[in-house]
Amino acid sequence: EIVLTQSPGTLSLSPGERATLSCRASQSVGSYLAWYQQKPGQAPRLLIYGASGRAPGIPDRFSGSGSGTDFTLTIDRLEPEDFAVYYCQQYGSSPPDFGPGTKVDIK
Amino acid sequence: QIQLVQSGAEVKKPGASVKVSCKASGYTFTTFGITWVRQAPGQGLEWMGWISAYNGNSNYAQKLQDRVTMTTDTSTNTAYMELRSLRSDDTAVYYCARVNGAVSAANYWGQGTLVTVSS
């Protein structure tokens, strides 16, 4: 099984700042990496698929990059609604497990 | 619009079974699969498995495969997840989500169903 590690565990930032979240896989997943946003009491929402493709309706301040084992989610100019938990998920092989998450909270 | 609407919250005793439903609308049900993901209180997301709505093929997480069964009813565009021999650590919010295949990102999610296992 492929294990995903996310860092940092918590990221404390102010609105308007840039957030950089990391996801590392224990072995290559190619570009089969997705990012999700989850707010309290809500279902996850797909942000990024294929490592860098934005899902429909996702603002362009969200961008994904990377391939193989190292991936990054960047959120430019944090908006108040962006403070949430972010999960990566690999779907290069079964089981398509999730990382432990990064919480982005208000500084 | 595409919607996945799940059944309501459940409270079960240890050893019992639970069956959660997920009714799909707004797309051709048999063109996609359904994955189930759960989230224990305050914890992360755990992939439980997947079922094809086209042919019923399924793939379950190894730790759950002896206790979980996923099915679909194409006449009502509904997917089901049954979990047996419930334990307290099965207490979680259970989500269904639409996927393109067995190993795929999930682009539409149900609202979640809280299953509480308590004596």
Side-chain angles (χ1 to χ4, degrees):
Chain A
E1 292 188 9
I2 296 174
V3 177
L4 298 179
T5 304
Q6 290 188 243
S7 61
T10 302
L11 192 55
S12 297
L13 295 168
S14 300
E17 291 191 298
R18 169 182 287 188
T20 303
L21 288 67
S22 174
C23 177
R24 178 164 291 178
S26 59
Q27 58 188 278
S28 178
V29 300
S31 294
Y32 294 108
L33 194 286
W35 290 94
Y36 299 85
Q37 176 193 69
Q38 189 180 33
K39 298 178 182 178
Q42 296 185 17
R45 178 174 71 146
L46 179 66
L47 300 175
I48 301 288
Y49 63 94
S52 61
R54 258 191 306 276
I58 302 303
D60 60 8
R61 64 179 180 274
F62 291 91
S63 62
S65 63
S67 66
T69 61
D70 290 298
F71 300 88
T72 300
L73 174 70
T74 301
I75 313 171
D76 286 326
R77 303 177 308 278
L78 280 164
E79 298 284 345
E81 62 267 28
D82 299 336
F83 292 92
V85 179
Y86 292 84
Y87 295 95
C88 58
Q89 180 197 26
Q90 69 82 18
Y91 54 102
S93 65
S94 186
D97 285 331
F98 296 86
T102 290
K103 183 178 183 180
V104 178
D105 66 14
I106 299 177
K107 188 173 182 180
Chain B
Q1 72 281 20
I2 295 168
Q3 282 191 305
L4 298 173
V5 178
Q6 299 183 222
S7 49
E10 303 261 15
V11 179
K12 296 291 183 181
K13 294 191 182 302
S17 298
V18 69
K19 192 170 187 177
V20 179
S21 67
C22 171
K23 184 171 176 59
S25 61
Y27 70 95
T28 302
F29 184 63
T30 52
T31 304
F32 296 88
I34 295 289
T35 192
W36 290 87
V37 174
R38 69 179 181 178
Q39 186 170 38
Q43 303 301 308
L45 302 171
E46 179 185 10
W47 181 81
M48 300 179 67
W50 160 89
I51 184 166
S52 166
Y54 173 69
N55 59 16
N57 286 350
S58 59
N59 181 28
Y60 303 141
Q62 188 167 12
K63 66 176 285 189
L64 295 173
Q65 60 184 10
D66 292 339
R67 299 195 294 131
V68 70
T69 302
M70 296 175 189
T71 57
T72 59
D73 181 345
T74 56
S75 69
T76 60
N77 292 349
T78 303
Y80 298 91
M81 185 284 301
E82 181 180 34
L83 189 60
R84 302 176 293 278
S85 302
L86 288 168
R87 311 187 290 245
S88 58
D89 62 356
D90 292 318
T91 294
V93 176
Y94 289 75
Y95 294 102
C96 64
R98 193 187 84 166
V99 290
N100 289 337
V103 186
S104 173
N107 52 0
Y108 292 94
W109 292 68
Q111 82 276 19
T113 296
L114 175 61
V115 176
T116 303
V117 183
S118 174
S119 55

